[in-house]
Amino acid sequence: MKIMSVEPFILHVPVTGSQIADSTHTISHWGVVGVKIGTDNGLEGYGFTGTHSHLPSDQLITRCIETCHAPLLMGEDAHDVNRLWLKLARNPALQWVGRAGITTLSHAAIDVALWDLKAKAAGMPLWKLLGGQVRDKVRAYNTDIGWLSIADDKLVEGAKRAVADGFTGIKIKVGSTVERDLRRLEAVRKAIGPDVTLAIDGNGKWDLPTCLRFCRGAEPFDVYWFEEPLWYDDVKGHAELARATRIPTALGEQLYTQDAFSEFFHQNAIHWVQPDVTRMAGLTEVLRVCETAHSYRLPVAPHAGDMSQVHVHLSYAHPAVQVLEYIPWIKDCFTDPAQVVDGYFKLPQEPGAGTTPTKAAWDKFQKPAR
Ligand code: 0YR
Ligand code: MG
């Protein structure tokens, strides 16, 4: 399965409503910035990273794919996912240029496209190639009802609707003011009752004293996890918070390498592990983190940078994964969309990684990749 072409692409797909906000940003579109890899047996593999749809920075990613990574892939055997991962990770053209950010996001898209090809060539959905189904169903939690931009009454309405739709887990954003966020947390907990898991996500906005104050107020509401309470790289701060509160900590969506996760593991700074195949260098690196998490007996809840197209395969196949984020923005762009029925993700059926765009999405959302 010889690689004959490596073509980057950019899709900008609208979010629910006209825009959403968390504690750090407001966006109107999700960027699906990726690569199509063609092989001599006529297959096409697709992989992508996730962005905030800023075309100039998206084009830095596609340019990195095209000019720095693609030359190392041409003529190679696409089956050799691990060997090619290392070849790209040690790309001499990128020494010093980056071990995170653009170079890693580019690598992520390529690695996922190679897994997609490998699964398509085997005629299997990716979860099967990864070793088969280790659980009957994957529990979904809904993040799309919980944005900071949603007014208090609509937040409660949306939470109740999600539960009525069958979700057994939801997540709401925090990171505005302690008083407002505690009020919203209490209102949502009262509305959904005790049986639905309720996580919160600060997106790294607050400092340690603010988090400590918030957690004291939040502890009565049975918070499933507090995600990104502090600045993403602050291992010591997370360790201190984890010791000071009964609320479990979660993070990972801003970490690019297994080494970054290892720091949090070593310092007992993390309870829920949230790697993302679109943020780390693809599924290959995420699998390493899942294995390490499992060895610490810590649960994994993949972050939905892929909006769960790829992570649903991982979640069915890896014993460490407990629950998976659901945000429905881009699912309809794919031939085998991430679908939630009665609160659980459906088992993907098509061969591949679930990353093949539909022609309709291609025609409607494509932006110039160069
Ligand atoms: C939404 N999920 C997250 C996104 C979301 C962020 O723009 O960037 O809120 O990825 O934290 O857990
Ligand atoms: Mg998050």
Side-chain angles (χ1 to χ4, degrees):
M1 185 158 63
K2 196 163 149 184
I3 296 175
M4 306 299 284
S5 65
V6 179
E7 292 169 54
F9 65 85
I10 297 172
L11 309 177
H12 286 176
V13 185
V15 304
T16 306
S18 57
Q19 56 181 40
I20 61 90
D22 62 25
S23 69
T24 58
H25 55 262
T26 299
I27 57 167
S28 62
H29 289 73
W30 190 250
V32 178
V33 179
V35 63
K36 172 166 90 172
I37 300 182
T39 57
D40 65 352
N41 59 358
L43 290 176
E44 283 175 346
Y46 295 85
F48 57 86
T49 184
T51 74
H52 285 166
S53 292
H54 180 249
L55 192 58
S57 58
D58 286 353
Q59 288 176 342
L60 294 176
I61 297 168
T62 52
R63 190 172 163 87
C64 181
I65 290 171
E66 188 168 10
T67 61
C68 297
H69 286 310
L72 275 65
L73 294 168
M74 297 299 287
E76 286 282 11
D77 184 346
H79 280 113
D80 294 355
V81 171
N82 283 340
R83 186 175 61 78
L84 293 176
W85 188 93
L86 204 57
K87 188 175 183 187
L88 296 192
R90 302 288 175 271
N91 185 347
L94 295 174
Q95 176 86 28
W96 308 304
V97 175
R99 279 198 294 273
I102 294 158
T103 55
T104 305
L105 301 177
S106 311
H107 192 175
I110 291 165
D111 182 73
V112 170
L114 293 176
W115 279 104
D116 183 43
L117 275 170
K118 199 175 167 82
K120 282 172 174 166
M124 295 172 184
L126 179 60
W127 58 263
K128 183 86 177 162
L129 184 71
L130 291 175
Q133 217 179 323
V134 298
R135 54 177 50 83
D136 292 342
K137 43 192 193 169
V138 168
R139 190 164 80 91
Y141 75 85
N142 190 323
T143 295
D144 206 34
I145 55 91
W147 305 108
L148 271 187
S149 45
I150 299 173
D152 295 9
D153 55 335
K154 298 279 179 222
L155 178 72
V156 168
E157 254 174 52
K160 286 207 277 204
R161 202 176 340 105
V163 173
D165 288 346
F167 283 96
T168 60
I170 59 173
K171 185 166 84 185
I172 64 171
K173 296 288 178 178
V174 298
S176 59
T177 66
V178 169
E179 293 72 19
R180 175 179 187 248
D181 292 338
L182 282 176
R183 201 169 59 233
R184 287 158 65 87
L185 176 64
E186 180 171 9
V188 169
R189 176 49 87 198
K190 281 193 174 135
I192 62 176
D195 295 338
V196 176
T197 64
L198 172 55
I200 56 172
D201 187 353
N203 290 99
K205 180 71 178 246
W206 282 337
D207 55 23
L208 186 57
T210 308
C211 286
L212 289 169
R213 197 157 71 83
F214 178 83
C215 285
R216 273 200 300 278
E219 280 180 3
F221 305 117
D222 188 18
V223 175
Y224 200 52
W225 68 59
F226 189 176
E227 177 170 326
E228 297 199 315
L230 297 161
W231 179 250
Y232 324 123
D233 300 321
D234 181 5
V235 182
K236 181 180 155 290
H238 282 90
E240 211 163 310
L241 183 65
R243 278 194 299 274
T245 176
R246 295 200 299 272
I247 299 173
T249 58
L251 62 94
E253 67 178 83
Q254 300 277 348
L255 303 185
Y256 292 91
T257 62
Q258 61 168 342
D259 308 83
F261 275 95
S262 291
E263 275 304 302
F264 284 91
F265 293 138
H266 292 154
Q267 306 293 330
N268 298 319
I270 180 173
H271 296 117
W272 283 92
V273 185
Q274 303 182 306
D276 187 328
V277 300
T278 68
R279 198 62 53 79
M280 308 192 78
L283 178 63
T284 303
E285 184 85 333
V286 164
L287 284 169
R288 297 177 185 130
V289 171
C290 289
E291 290 293 292
T292 310
H294 203 43
S295 75
Y296 279 87
R297 296 289 150 185
L298 291 174
V300 173
H303 170 253
D306 68 329
M307 301 293 148
S308 300
Q309 284 301 128
V310 182
H311 289 144
V312 68
H313 292 265
L314 172 73
S315 303
Y316 268 106
H318 201 286
V321 180
Q322 293 293 326
V323 62
L324 178 58
E325 183 165 26
Y326 177 71
I327 303 177
W329 300 338
I330 67 169
K331 66 182 171 56
D332 295 330
C333 296
F334 300 97
T335 58
D336 195 11
Q339 287 188 69
V340 171
V341 177
D342 293 331
Y344 291 83
F345 280 94
K346 281 180 75 176
L347 184 70
Q349 297 297 335
E350 264 186 31
T355 48
T356 305
T358 62
K359 181 165 183 320
W362 204 253
D363 293 346
K364 194 162 171 198
F365 299 128
Q366 205 169 172
K367 299 281 174 195
R370 61 173 75 82

